[in-house]
Amino acid sequence: MASIRERTLRASRLDFTALEAGTGPLVLCLHGFPDTRHTYRGLIGDLADAGYRAVAPQLRGYEHASNPRTGDFYLESLAVDVAGWIEDLGEEKAHLVGHDWGAPIVYAAAALVPESVASVTAMSVPHLRHFRERVWRTPSQFKRSWYMAFFQLRGIAERAILSDRVGFIRRLMESWSPNQPPPESWFEEISEVFSDPVLTKNALGYYRCAFDWRQGPGRRSLELARRRPSVPVLSLVGAHDGCMAPDVFENVMEPSDFQQGLTHRRIPGAGHFLHLDQPELVASAILDFIKDR
């Protein structure tokens, strides 16, 4: 497998640590909650071996160097970060891969700078254009999404996570990836974030900004999230995802919304972290999709 190196990216006047491997067309891989850049070590190695330049940055606020200090974790700003990474890497275009929170971010980046995006691969979270109205038809999804409401409780949510280090997140993973929870090394990596009060607050800030859509950056972020994709899209969901029900995922994905086409796959034997549960299947699906694009 190709060697993986660390580098620093600069965007939005912030510094981001990233993992990088290989040379060739650029593939940017964005993690979600509760995760870090390390989740992509396997995938970026596979991408590099296949002839791509694969880069996995740490998202805004998941380390002190990229802490915006203003609490700005609006989707619009996260999409601006992606555009800045592409420019800082000296590339004109990138294939974007996003898991969990990374999924709405890559959709938003493609809406913001479509000329810089060759394709989007979104894992575990659907496009949000129809999400709010259609999820009302599936109350069972509210039970799965209880944590989003809990994270609005400022101070209380932070204490719940910090009081037992990653114990709270272990319990989340028991329901999100019921068949195959992440390996112990994964919990060790995320503990760097979720034992730090500032970084924990930042990670929860994504959910707090997502619910603030009435004006300004929140309203613009909602518009970006709902814009019809104008680049080719691959969507992947784990067949046993305990966070986002596969049926709900597929119900909110309207094929006619995807102007350059939608390819969708359920990944058998995978939960919410499908790229960890079934790395070979996920890597193969992505490589098949992005070749010749």
Side-chain angles (χ1 to χ4, degrees):
M1 179 176 285
S3 62
I4 297 174
R5 54 199 177 271
E6 281 207 344
R7 64 166 298 156
T8 299
L9 300 180
R10 182 74 174 169
S12 306
R13 300 183 178 179
L14 301 170
D15 292 324
F16 303 81
T17 305
L19 301 179
E20 181 178 26
T23 59
L26 177 62
V27 184
L28 274 177
C29 300
L30 279 62
H31 68 83
F33 175 92
D35 214 348
T36 66
R37 64 191 183 278
H38 298 291
T39 195
Y40 281 119
R41 282 189 176 275
L43 181 58
I44 65 173
D46 290 336
L47 292 168
D49 287 344
Y52 292 90
R53 180 188 186 190
V55 180
Q58 194 96 326
L59 291 185
R60 169 186 288 229
Y62 274 72
E63 56 188 338
H64 287 279
S66 64
N67 180 9
R69 302 184 185 280
T70 58
D72 181 0
F73 300 103
Y74 291 100
L75 195 56
E76 178 186 45
S77 298
L78 302 171
V80 170
D81 290 344
V82 176
W85 295 335
I86 296 171
E87 181 179 359
D88 193 48
L89 287 163
E91 302 285 355
E92 294 184 357
K93 275 183 175 287
H95 298 282
L96 303 182
V97 176
H99 172 253
D100 189 82
W101 254 104
I105 295 172
V106 296
Y107 277 127
L112 184 71
V113 287
E115 68 281 0
S116 299
V117 179
S119 73
V120 159
T121 296
M123 301 189 289
S124 301
V125 173
H127 192 268
L128 300 180
R129 182 174 177 83
H130 301 291
F131 186 80
R132 287 198 303 165
E133 59 267 28
R134 294 190 182 180
V135 77
W136 285 101
R137 305 173 191 171
T138 52
S140 62
Q141 183 60 45
F142 290 136
K143 183 178 180 180
R144 293 174 183 249
S145 301
W146 66 270
Y147 64 95
M148 295 186 186
F150 179 66
F151 289 166
Q152 305 306 310
L153 302 177
R154 297 171 187 264
I156 296 174
E158 283 90 336
R159 286 195 294 273
I161 293 174
L162 293 166
S163 63
D164 59 357
R165 291 178 64 84
V166 295
F168 179 93
I169 293 170
R170 285 184 189 276
R171 293 188 289 276
L172 277 183
M173 293 304 104
E174 289 173 0
S175 60
W176 288 9
S177 293
N179 296 342
Q180 195 171 350
E184 190 61 31
S185 59
W186 182 86
F187 289 102
E188 293 172 0
E189 288 158 354
I190 67 165
S191 69
E192 296 179 11
V193 175
F194 296 101
S195 62
D196 185 306
V198 172
L199 304 186
T200 297
K201 181 179 179 181
N202 288 347
L204 301 183
Y206 283 63
Y207 294 93
R208 292 163 184 170
C209 287
F211 279 78
D212 179 20
W213 47 265
R214 292 176 296 277
Q215 60 185 356
R219 192 170 188 84
R220 294 193 299 271
S221 295
L222 180 63
E223 191 278 329
L224 273 180
R226 293 173 59 86
R227 195 176 298 176
R228 296 173 63 220
S230 60
V231 302
V233 171
L234 169 67
S235 64
L236 304 175
V237 65
H240 306 289
D241 192 326
C243 177
M244 174 59 63
D247 288 345
V248 174
F249 186 112
E250 291 157 1
N251 181 53
V252 301
M253 297 286 280
E254 189 66 52
S256 61
D257 286 335
F258 295 82
Q259 301 176 59
Q260 297 297 318
L262 169 66
T263 303
H264 175 70
R265 285 188 60 184
R266 280 196 193 194
I267 302 299
H272 190 65
F273 286 77
L274 64 170
H275 59 298
L276 299 180
D277 296 347
Q278 295 289 351
E280 293 181 2
L281 290 179
V282 170
S284 177
I286 294 173
L287 286 168
D288 286 346
F289 178 70
I290 66 176
K291 68 180 180 182
D292 302 325
R293 293 189 186 275

